[in-house]
Amino acid sequence: MYRERLMAALQNTMLNEKLLDDFLLRRLVDGFEACRENRGNVYFIGNGGSAGIAMHMTADFLKNGRMKTHSMHDAPTLTCLGNDYGYEYVFSKQLEIVAEKGDLLVAISSSGNSPNILEAVRIAKEKGCKVITLSGFKPDNKLRPLGDCNIYVPSMEYGIVESIHNLILQQIVDEIMAMDKENEK
């Protein structure tokens, strides 16, 4: 059943990525915090369902995490860049113009093999940005080893991979909110 596959993938992700012992979660939260403290920008990218997650997290990290976040999914921009340069450059061309050293790119791709995501990561690293990747499907996907922090979901099902990516990012912003509330006391 779907629920059992989802729970198994979640458990394997939490164990394999060391999220249960808070090691990677702490690194992820610290990475977002460092970006915020340095007044850096956070860029979220993805395709399809991952684009939906990216846009949702752009709003949550802006409002709840009080960070300078930017969605790179504006339809006129995407269609302009896709038409002029090709779809594989719709994110990287934006990053070439706006990204600065110390900014953070969050690259979300279920397959981990989307050319436009891979090209954006290449440009972000070239510009001195930190990169967090969230991928799934095959363990040897191209995105998985490219970030400063990499989260891999061991499932071949879009819904499971996307649900866990969303859950992890939500957990990060919730941790940041909790720290902010604690610091206000």
Side-chain angles (χ1 to χ4, degrees):
M1 276 180 32
Y2 184 83
R3 184 175 57 223
E4 283 82 18
R5 293 191 314 276
L6 172 65
M7 295 309 292
L10 178 59
Q11 182 177 22
N12 287 334
T13 301
M14 299 301 271
L15 289 171
N16 294 341
E17 303 300 332
K18 300 188 178 26
L19 290 170
L20 287 180
D21 66 6
D22 288 336
F23 172 72
L24 183 59
L25 180 61
R26 180 81 263 140
R27 279 186 59 207
L28 291 165
V29 170
D30 289 347
F32 278 97
E33 277 289 307
C35 187
R36 180 172 73 172
E37 287 173 14
N38 294 324
R39 309 265 316 130
N41 297 290
V42 181
Y43 302 99
F44 292 89
I45 59 171
N47 295 301
S50 296
I53 294 167
M55 292 168 63
H56 176 181
M57 290 303 137
T58 298
D60 279 6
F61 278 82
L62 172 76
K63 180 178 126 304
N64 299 328
R66 298 186 343 227
M67 296 179 188
K68 295 187 329 184
T69 62
H70 306 278
S71 172
M72 306 195 87
H73 297 88
D74 179 63
T77 302
L78 289 179
T79 57
C80 170
L81 296 174
N83 183 64
D84 291 354
Y85 300 105
Y87 192 70
E88 63 269 28
Y89 301 106
V90 294
F91 300 127
S92 62
K93 289 295 182 185
Q94 294 180 70
L95 290 170
E96 283 178 4
I97 296 167
V98 300
E100 297 179 359
K101 184 177 182 173
D103 285 349
L104 176 62
L105 174 67
V106 181
I108 309 166
S109 172
S110 293
S111 72
N113 292 318
S114 300
N116 62 346
I117 301 293
L118 298 170
E119 181 64 14
V121 169
R122 185 184 73 74
I123 292 297
K125 293 182 88 126
E126 192 176 280
K127 304 238 350 163
C129 300
K130 297 291 184 186
V131 176
I132 295 171
T133 71
L134 295 101
S135 66
F137 291 11
K138 296 182 180 176
D140 62 346
N141 72 65
K142 294 175 183 173
L143 182 62
R144 187 176 182 191
L146 298 181
D148 298 289
C149 287
N150 302 291
I151 298 172
Y152 167 72
V153 177
S155 175
M156 293 295 291
E157 294 182 65
Y158 278 102
I160 289 174
V161 173
E162 291 170 355
S163 293
I164 294 173
H165 286 168
N166 193 69
L167 177 72
I168 290 168
L169 288 168
Q170 194 65 61
Q171 184 179 1
I172 294 166
V173 76
D174 287 351
E175 287 288 326
I176 291 168
M177 283 176 46
M179 288 176 12
D180 287 347
K181 286 182 183 175
E182 188 63 33
N183 290 336
E184 291 174 0
K185 290 182 181 180

